[in-house]
Amino acid sequence: MPISDVKDIARYVGQEATVRGWLRHKRVGGKIAFLVVRDGTGDIQAVVSKAAVGDEAFELTSRLTQESSLEEEFPIQPKEHGTGFLMEHRHLWIRSHRQQAILRIRHEIIRACRTFFDDRGFLLVDTPIFTPNACEGTTTLFETDYFGEKAYLTQSGQLYNEATAAAFGKVYCFGPTFRAEKSKTRRHLMEFWMVEPEVAFAELADVMALAEEFLTSIVARVLERRREELKVLERDMNKLEAVVAPFPRITYAEAVERLQKKGNPIQPGDDFGGDEETILSNEFDRPVIIHRYPTALKAFYMQNDPENPDLALCMDVLAPEGYGEIIGGGQRIHERDKLLARLKAHQLPEDAFRWYVELRTFGSVPHAGFGMGIERAVAWICGLEHVRETIPFPRMLYKIYP
Ligand code: 4AD
Ligand code: MG
């Protein structure tokens, strides 16, 4: 007899086929039992009739427990559990409808990211995970021993992407990135996946437009292909349908003014924290691009604005509905002397950055790019309260089980 995935069962109409899976739940009457079986591709209801299978098999059916491939009772019952309990049982929790809907949407978002860049002539390059230097500041590095030398888990593929962009023009990398941030917020993970495009001969305005097109295309694809899952999550789809170009673009200075008008105590020069991002991202019905932050708040590689050198040619894209930053990026310094001065100012070791500086010696051109954290994008598109549900096994502050 052929074995079929639940999702393909329609091919076997009028024929016999075997389905393999786990018992999601059951209802047993005196003569008939209904079993809902889950195989990872979908759910199917099986009917067991006493008349057809006999007393013994029917008796066995009535003794089946939830997720009955296990010997014990399945620890997660269809009732309310606390998040702590569910996180401890993450390996089983991912079998629930809701978690499956989220992880299916995650998959769709990842496919949408790849398709977007592949269709536009970007080359996928894989950047290293072990690195000899910091990209996004030295305070959030995970340090490891690399045969007696210090190495760090990458915070971003960007620096290597700048090299590959100079080789191929338009590139993207997509991989795990790490931040040893002692942050316990709904937006922070220690390990997260980032997709990062980098474009030669591009300036800030170009990557703002690219980010806008990128986000609208991802949301449109999820709306088109994952409606069922969005329904399971009770996501308000009108909010997602509003995600169309053009996105508002405001400067950091305008953002500070808006915050102050709302009674926020922020002063010009202060960085935005979670509260500020929440306020700003609640002000618009679609993502908002905030550009030109003070150079002092940003990473060493940021190009500064010729109109006002204290400002960086950078952008953050904040997702609406209070979700906050999902994209960070901008234009990079392409002049060698300026970069050397910046490395010094940030007290970064010139030796480890020798190759990076060398990119500015051989045919250096203006270039720009950005990075989007997949988990934050998933949290927003799914309408979740916390990023911990957006990845099968989240790595959080002091939590590495299961
Ligand atoms: O703003 P970030 O730090 O920018 C960069 O790393 C640049 N080098 C990217 C580039 O220009 N190629 O991080 C980019 C995005 C953030 O907007 C956020 O979505 C995500 O990465 N992110 C995190 N997601 C989850 N947990 C964390 N701790 C995150 N830190 C950053
Ligand atoms: Mg950022």
Side-chain angles (χ1 to χ4, degrees):
M1 202 186 295
I3 296 172
S4 173
D5 286 346
V6 170
K7 74 169 174 17
D8 298 327
I9 200 72
R11 289 189 202 149
Y12 298 94
V13 172
Q15 304 168 41
E16 288 193 2
T18 301
V19 167
R20 300 187 290 198
W22 295 263
L23 185 64
R24 194 185 277 287
H25 56 79
K26 66 172 185 189
R27 270 185 302 131
V28 185
K31 292 186 178 132
I32 198 156
F34 298 98
L35 310 179
V36 176
V37 177
R38 168 187 78 69
D39 76 345
T41 71
D43 287 4
I44 193 166
Q45 179 170 275
V47 184
V48 185
S49 116
K50 198 173 193 169
V53 301
D55 288 356
E56 198 178 326
F58 194 77
E59 160 65 11
L60 269 177
T61 305
S62 67
R63 281 196 277 122
L64 282 178
T65 53
Q66 193 196 350
E67 295 291 327
S68 65
S69 62
L70 304 177
E71 279 181 28
E72 290 143 317
E73 295 272 294
F74 192 62
I76 299 178
Q77 300 297 326
K79 63 171 189 198
E80 290 288 312
H81 286 287
T83 309
F85 178 90
L86 292 169
M87 289 305 296
E88 281 284 302
H89 293 84
R90 184 67 179 157
H91 49 299
L92 304 177
W93 189 21
I94 52 177
R95 299 180 187 190
S96 77
H97 275 306
R98 216 184 119 75
Q99 297 305 314
Q100 294 197 331
I102 296 168
L103 294 178
R104 288 208 167 89
I105 292 172
R106 178 189 169 98
H107 173 77
E108 196 66 50
I109 290 172
I110 290 173
R111 284 214 296 191
C113 294
R114 291 191 183 281
T115 306
F116 179 86
F117 291 120
D118 294 348
D119 286 354
R120 283 164 184 76
F122 283 71
L123 190 80
L124 174 70
V125 292
D126 298 310
T127 50
I129 289 171
F130 283 126
T131 61
N133 49 30
C135 178
E136 294 298 323
T138 50
T139 53
T140 63
L141 287 170
F142 276 109
E143 192 180 306
T144 73
D145 173 66
Y146 197 78
F147 305 108
E149 246 182 274
K150 267 188 196 164
Y152 309 96
L153 298 185
T154 186
Q155 298 165 308
S156 157
Q158 179 200 317
L159 304 186
Y160 294 96
N161 249 357
E162 290 181 52
T164 56
F168 296 102
K170 296 196 286 187
V171 296
Y172 71 105
C173 64
F174 197 154
T177 47
F178 306 86
R179 305 275 169 103
E181 263 166 312
K182 292 252 162 85
S183 296
K184 212 176 175 176
T185 77
R186 63 194 176 98
R187 299 182 175 129
H188 283 92
L189 293 169
M190 302 298 124
E191 177 182 305
F192 61 97
W193 287 68
M194 187 155 38
V195 56
E196 300 179 82
E198 190 73 28
V199 187
F201 298 104
E203 301 187 356
L204 176 62
D206 301 314
V207 286
M208 288 205 238
L210 185 67
E212 179 179 76
E213 202 191 340
F214 176 60
L215 287 177
T216 50
S217 102
I218 291 172
V219 170
R221 175 152 167 173
V222 172
L223 279 168
E224 185 194 311
R225 303 201 185 179
R226 293 292 174 181
R227 263 182 195 267
E228 284 312 308
E229 285 78 5
L230 292 170
K231 267 187 222 152
V232 169
L233 300 174
E234 295 173 41
R235 182 67 169 108
D236 181 348
M237 289 187 232
N238 293 327
K239 296 259 166 67
L240 294 178
E241 260 141 20
V243 180
V244 288
F247 296 170
R249 289 152 165 78
I250 62 174
T251 62
Y252 165 88
E254 285 166 336
V256 168
E257 264 173 44
R258 275 174 182 272
L259 286 166
Q260 288 178 335
K261 278 208 188 101
K262 294 257 149 162
N264 186 281
I266 192 137
Q267 292 302 315
D270 292 350
D271 204 357
F272 299 154
D275 289 346
E276 287 75 29
E277 282 184 18
T278 304
I279 297 172
L280 288 168
S281 89
N282 269 322
E283 295 223 324
F284 303 93
D285 68 343
R286 61 194 79 184
V288 53
I289 306 179
I290 302 181
H291 57 97
R292 292 179 169 76
Y293 288 67
T295 315
L297 295 178
K298 292 290 178 181
F300 75 95
Y301 52 72
M302 298 272 187
Q303 184 63 282
N304 46 6
D305 188 352
E307 315 258 298
N308 179 350
D310 292 337
L311 300 180
L313 292 176
C314 67
M315 63 158 181
D316 278 0
V317 185
L318 311 191
E321 301 174 70
Y323 279 93
E325 182 194 335
I326 53 168
I327 285 182
Q331 197 175 322
R332 330 301 190 185
I333 294 176
H334 62 274
E335 307 93 327
R336 183 171 177 278
D337 293 344
K338 200 191 260 189
L339 181 62
L340 284 170
R342 198 66 77 71
L343 285 172
K344 205 170 241 150
H346 283 251
Q347 298 176 326
L348 290 166
E350 212 182 285
D351 200 42
F353 286 94
R354 211 169 53 239
W355 66 270
Y356 185 69
V357 174
E358 210 162 280
L359 299 175
R360 277 74 186 162
T361 308
F362 298 100
S364 187
V365 296
H367 59 287
F370 63 80
M372 181 181 82
I374 291 297
E375 290 73 18
R376 293 207 189 158
V378 175
W380 161 50
I381 291 173
C382 291
L384 309 179
E385 267 173 41
H386 199 293
V387 287
R388 68 184 155 223
E389 289 179 57
T390 62
I391 183 164
F393 296 98
R395 295 293 168 241
M396 302 192 293
L397 192 59
Y398 308 125
K399 278 212 184 79
I400 197 168
Y401 176 91

